């Protein structure tokens, strides 16, 4: 089966940098993705890593280490609007199956 | 970008009745759509994979006779919660792989309350 673990909550100050970790156990791994979900809303795609290393997309970066079954999402220059839940997700079965992590609720404070 | 439209956004129904939720891909064709269930403050749990023109694939523990999925066209998948009970109250959300190379696009979700 698949399992993904994330910290349940993180609090950070506006303008700071925060890292959200994700460890996973899976079979048939294709890649690790990150999604943002505001309360009551739909998840939105942030990033994807298939290979080891860092992928940067504006203020957000995502890292993957396949050998360690570990990844993280890095958010820089935090803004109040970044307060949301962040989910890592493993793609398996040829991208046909997406399994979400437990989710991390990020609270950005002034 | 790809848009997935989901209706209704919320519904209240009486225990024992059935509720149908629609998920449409508006500007792309989706041979595969996914249905998730999310309880408050919890993760998205995959319920089933909806395949156009064939039977859905259900995850372990999901009752296929209770959660009927139909994917009759390349742009529409429906989830029908049959004989709903209060424990079926949840946030149901669909997704499809659109034009984003690796990302999945989600519908806005349906909050179901069974009374």
């Amino acid at each position: 089966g698949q399992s993904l673990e994330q910290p349940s909550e993180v609090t950070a100050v506006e303008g700071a940098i925060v890292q959200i970790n994700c460890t996973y156990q899976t079979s048939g791994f294709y890649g690790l993705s990150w999604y943002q979900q505001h309360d009551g809303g739909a998840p939105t795609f942030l990033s994807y890593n298939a290979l080891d290393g860092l992928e940067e997309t504006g203020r957000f970066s995502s890292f993957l280490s396949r050998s360690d079954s570990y990844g993280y999402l890095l958010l820089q220059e935090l803004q109040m609007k970044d307060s949301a839940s962040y989910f890592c997700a493993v793609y398996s079965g040829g991208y046909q199956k997406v399994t979400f992590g437990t989710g991390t609720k990020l609270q950005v404070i002034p | 970008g790809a848009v997935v439209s989901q209706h209704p956004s919320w519904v209240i129904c009486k225990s024992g009745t059935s509720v149908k939720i629609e998920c449409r891909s508006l500007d792309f064709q989706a041979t595969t759509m996914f249905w998730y269930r999310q309880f408050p403050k919890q993760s998205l749990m995959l319920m089933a994979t909806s395949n156009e023109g064939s039977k859905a694939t259900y995850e372990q523990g999901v009752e296929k006779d209770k959660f009927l999925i139909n994917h009759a066209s390349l742009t529409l998948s429906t989830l029908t919660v049959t004989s709903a009970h209060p424990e079926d109250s949840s946030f149901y959300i669909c997704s499809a792989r659109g034009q984003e190379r690796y990302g999945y696009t989600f519908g806005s979700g349906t909050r179901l309350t069974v009374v």
Side-chain angles (χ1 to χ4, degrees):
Chain A
Q2 327 275 16
S3 70
L4 297 89
E5 294 293 330
Q6 303 176 232
S8 59
E9 294 182 357
V10 173
T11 300
V13 178
E14 189 176 15
I17 299 173
V18 72
Q19 177 174 314
I20 299 174
N21 299 320
C22 173
T23 57
Y24 61 88
Q25 290 184 315
T26 186
S27 57
F29 178 85
Y30 269 73
L32 186 71
S33 191
W34 289 90
Y35 287 80
Q36 178 192 62
Q37 185 182 30
H38 286 97
D39 284 347
T44 56
F45 171 73
L46 293 177
S47 68
Y48 176 78
N49 294 68
L51 303 175
D52 288 358
L54 191 69
E55 294 282 344
E56 298 182 56
T57 309
R59 294 189 296 115
F60 295 178
S61 302
S62 57
F63 172 83
L64 174 66
S65 169
R66 294 176 67 127
S67 60
D68 295 325
S69 297
Y70 163 77
Y72 66 72
L73 178 69
L74 192 73
L75 297 83
Q76 302 182 71
E77 301 174 17
L78 281 173
Q79 301 175 10
M80 299 300 291
K81 66 178 182 179
D82 296 329
S83 294
S85 291
Y86 292 84
F87 294 90
C88 58
V90 162
Y91 291 6
S92 59
Y95 304 108
Q96 285 302 301
K97 184 163 184 175
V98 183
T99 303
F100 284 83
T102 51
T104 299
K105 188 170 180 65
L106 170 65
Q107 183 180 11
V108 180
I109 58 176
Chain B
V3 176
V4 173
S5 175
Q6 186 173 342
H7 293 281
S9 55
W10 61 270
V11 59
I12 301 173
C13 71
K14 290 185 177 181
S15 187
T17 61
S18 295
V19 173
K20 180 184 283 188
I21 302 170
E22 291 190 349
C23 181
R24 293 180 184 273
S25 56
L26 295 188
D27 49 1
F28 66 101
Q29 294 180 334
T31 55
T32 303
M33 290 186 176
F34 304 89
W35 287 96
Y36 293 85
R37 182 174 182 175
Q38 186 177 34
F39 291 106
K41 302 185 187 302
Q42 294 190 22
S43 187
L44 292 89
M45 301 302 298
L46 180 65
M47 299 175 65
T49 302
S50 170
N51 303 297
E52 187 269 334
S54 64
K55 292 183 179 180
T57 304
Y58 290 82
E59 294 299 301
Q60 190 173 7
V62 177
E63 300 176 59
K64 61 181 181 180
D65 294 331
K66 181 170 185 60
F67 299 99
L68 300 179
I69 290 173
N70 184 276
H71 195 152
S73 77
L74 287 170
T75 60
L76 174 65
S77 175
T78 61
L79 168 68
T80 301
V81 183
T82 63
S83 187
H85 288 98
E87 56 265 32
D88 298 324
S89 298
S90 187
F91 189 58
Y92 293 87
I93 191 164
C94 64
S95 77
R97 191 172 171 191
Q99 294 152 0
E100 186 82 45
R101 187 174 180 187
Y102 298 114
Y104 284 80
T105 301
F106 285 81
S108 54
T110 298
R111 186 157 304 281
L112 170 64
T113 302
V114 184
V115 298

